[in-house]
Amino acid sequence: MLSERVIGILADSFFKILIPGLTVTIPLTIISFSLALVIAIIVALIQFAKVKILKDIARFYVWVIRGTPLLVQLFVVFYGLPNIGILIDPFPAAVIVFAINEGAYCAETIRAGLEAVPYGQMEAGECVGMSYMQIMRRILLPQALRLSFPTLANSIISMTKDTSLAANITVTEMFMATQRIVARTYEPLALYIEVGIIYLIFCTVLTRLQRFGEKKLGRYKI
């Protein structure tokens, strides 16, 4: 049973946790994922173009990023780079790491989407005199992004939860706000459940948006 003290703590802490979620967690997710998509599209196009040197560089990037933990990457950028004179504030450091990390995963998703588009469409574009970049921009890439939409939507939902790791490099997002309240009140169980519920609310909203987007694209069936 929840005591009056615990209920009071939960009621008092709800907005103290929610506000950092709206002002830090959500912006961190949106900015990082937007940059990740730019990185992913560039890397996917490089791999699809099959220019050997560039393709090898892109594959190396994907291999390193997918093969190392996100937390390690955060520590390398925020705590490691100052040793060579590169100082980055917590929030920009988190944006950089999340964008680079998610970009590697999204690049593979978009690459798979490009390869799923029939090659005959590339040949059709060439037959009407379109350049390679025109074919990509007007024909292949829009279809690849449409095919990749459900997986990319899952990626942003996953990133929303992963932003809690930014607390380890002193970003004051909602998980760090919860940790500070726990340190004052000594009620970890109730407060961590409360922040978990707020994360669940955020992810539920994103899931609804995902389904709406899939329905608009004609890919979601009730």
Side-chain angles (χ1 to χ4, degrees):
M1 295 294 291
L2 293 176
S3 66
E4 290 185 8
R5 175 179 176 275
V6 173
I7 292 173
I9 290 172
L10 292 175
D12 181 64
S13 64
F14 181 79
F15 287 103
K16 293 179 181 178
I17 296 172
L18 179 63
I19 290 173
L22 296 174
T23 58
V24 181
T25 298
I26 296 301
L28 176 58
T29 302
I30 293 172
I31 296 170
S32 299
F33 194 76
S34 298
L35 294 175
L37 278 181
V38 174
I39 294 171
I41 290 171
I42 293 171
V43 173
L45 290 175
I46 288 172
Q47 293 193 78
F48 189 75
K50 298 184 169 95
V51 178
K52 182 169 175 51
I53 296 176
L54 295 177
K55 185 176 181 180
D56 288 344
I57 294 172
R59 282 185 169 179
F60 180 77
Y61 156 69
V62 172
W63 171 65
V64 170
I65 297 301
R66 294 203 306 173
T68 54
L70 176 56
L71 186 59
V72 171
Q73 295 166 16
L74 284 167
F75 275 45
V76 167
V77 170
F78 187 71
Y79 295 113
L81 292 184
N83 287 339
I84 58 173
I86 301 174
L87 300 174
I88 306 176
D89 291 334
F91 188 87
V95 168
I96 291 168
V97 173
F98 284 127
I100 292 174
N101 180 273
E102 196 61 41
Y105 289 93
C106 291
E108 290 298 281
T109 299
I110 296 172
R111 179 188 60 80
L114 285 169
E115 293 179 352
V117 178
Y119 189 74
Q121 297 196 31
M122 170 74 82
E123 295 174 333
E126 291 173 348
C127 288
V128 297
M130 296 176 71
S131 67
Y132 178 81
M133 290 308 299
Q134 286 177 325
I135 294 170
M136 281 294 166
R137 182 165 53 88
R138 297 180 181 179
I139 301 175
L140 267 66
L141 193 55
Q143 293 183 72
L145 290 174
R146 179 178 177 179
L147 290 169
S148 304
F149 180 82
T151 306
L152 293 175
N154 285 336
S155 295
I156 194 171
I157 291 171
S158 179
M159 179 182 278
T160 303
K161 296 176 289 183
D162 288 344
T163 55
S164 60
L165 293 174
N168 290 282
I169 60 169
T170 71
V171 176
T172 311
E173 42 72 67
M174 65 180 182
F175 187 70
M176 173 169 274
T178 305
Q179 289 179 310
R180 290 176 175 176
I181 298 171
V182 169
R184 294 197 309 267
T185 61
Y186 301 100
E187 290 292 344
L189 178 60
L191 287 165
Y192 287 140
I193 290 175
E194 183 175 48
V195 73
I197 291 171
I198 295 174
Y199 275 112
L200 180 61
I201 292 170
F202 285 175
C203 291
T204 300
V205 172
L206 290 173
T207 300
R208 296 293 184 185
L209 291 174
Q210 175 188 357
R211 292 181 177 178
F212 176 78
E214 290 177 356
K215 194 172 182 180
K216 284 293 183 181
L217 292 172
R219 296 184 51 80
Y220 180 74
K221 297 181 180 180
I222 299 176

